[in-house]
Amino acid sequence: MRSPLFDQANQERQTDQRWTLQSSKMLRTAMNGQLDVLAAQGAMVAYQGQMDFNYEGSGSASKFLKKMVSGEGGNLMRVRGMGEVFFARQAEDIFLLELTGDGITINTRSLLAFDANLNWDIKSMVNGGMLAGGLFNLVVNGQGVVAVTSDGPPMLLDCSRQPTFVDPQAAVCWSSNLVPTIKNDFKFGSLIGRGSGESFQLAFHGPGFVVVQPSEGAPVTAAA
């Protein structure tokens, strides 16, 4: 049988590295039975070897309450085993972030997977008002790797030069030292940030960066 499907570029990349981009849209994670992975539920597309997938609990009473209120952070699964597991999300571009004792804040819609030894918590943004789906985000820090996705080629903005405003659904991640506020530009004549259904933006200003995707993604409804 002959087909471009069998080209070397489409075959599994054999490597000793724990985290490897099989392609720009698929992630290969090697599991040795020692360090688990936390991933977004539904992000696994294939695996080889022996793997266990379990719902990841909140880990603390405060995280549990935040999950109940926000709906964020409650969609994690713990992966453990021996072999390889492959992650992807709707053919979005995947990027690896290696944390070396520092941290990052991630829009949970863009979180794909991370080393289970990393510390994580759910943080709320003040003055959220009626913003749907943009009040809570995941903060991850420590020593390890985080994989995030972007719906299209991302853009990196330097927030130290001037105030930066981003649609909440277009924000992928940002420096953990930045504390965004909510800016309301509602006008009856126009709506800005149609992905959120309202004219709200995240306002960033200070030493740090924010990563923006060229898409607002699917509409988000408010948590019950």
Side-chain angles (χ1 to χ4, degrees), residues 66-196:
K66 292 174 186 176
K67 287 180 183 180
M68 293 293 291
V69 172
S70 68
E72 301 289 351
N75 59 341
L76 292 178
M77 63 179 177
R78 179 174 291 268
V79 186
R80 59 166 54 98
M82 295 284 295
E84 301 83 35
V85 58
F86 298 87
F87 299 108
R89 177 189 290 119
Q90 299 180 346
E92 294 182 351
D93 297 324
I94 300 173
F95 297 89
L96 297 177
L97 305 169
E98 183 177 358
L99 303 184
T100 56
D102 46 356
I104 191 166
T105 302
I106 304 169
N107 184 332
T108 53
R109 292 170 48 145
S110 299
L111 176 68
L112 188 65
F114 60 94
D115 283 319
N117 64 295
L118 289 169
N119 300 313
W120 64 275
D121 196 8
I122 301 167
K123 298 293 185 180
S124 63
M125 288 180 285
V126 298
N127 301 325
M130 297 175 61
L131 180 63
L135 295 174
F136 296 84
N137 292 282
L138 197 69
V139 178
V140 184
N141 59 74
Q143 299 272 351
V145 171
V146 181
V148 298
T149 62
S150 174
D151 188 8
M155 175 176 61
L156 182 70
L157 295 177
D158 184 352
C159 303
S160 63
R161 298 182 179 181
Q162 57 186 336
T164 303
F165 305 92
V166 180
D167 184 285
Q169 313 311 329
V172 174
C173 59
W174 57 87
S175 302
S176 59
N177 62 288
L178 292 177
V179 181
T181 58
I182 303 297
K183 185 173 186 290
N184 182 359
D185 279 339
F186 180 78
K187 297 178 181 178
F188 285 101
S190 65
L191 285 178
I192 305 173
R194 298 182 185 276
S196 63

Side-chain angles (χ1 to χ4, degrees), residues 1-46:
M1 185 180 297
R2 297 179 181 179
S3 170
L5 179 65
F6 304 117
D7 289 350
Q8 181 66 35
N10 296 328
Q11 298 181 24
E12 179 186 352
R13 296 187 178 182
Q14 300 295 336
T15 174
D16 294 332
Q17 296 182 353
R18 173 170 168 83
W19 299 90
T20 304
L21 288 178
Q22 174 69 23
S23 69
S24 63
K25 302 179 184 300
M26 186 176 297
L27 175 64
R28 174 186 185 270
T29 306
M31 307 289 292
N32 60 6
Q34 298 180 2
L35 181 57
D36 296 347
V37 165
L38 294 180
Q41 287 187 0
M44 185 276 294
V45 296

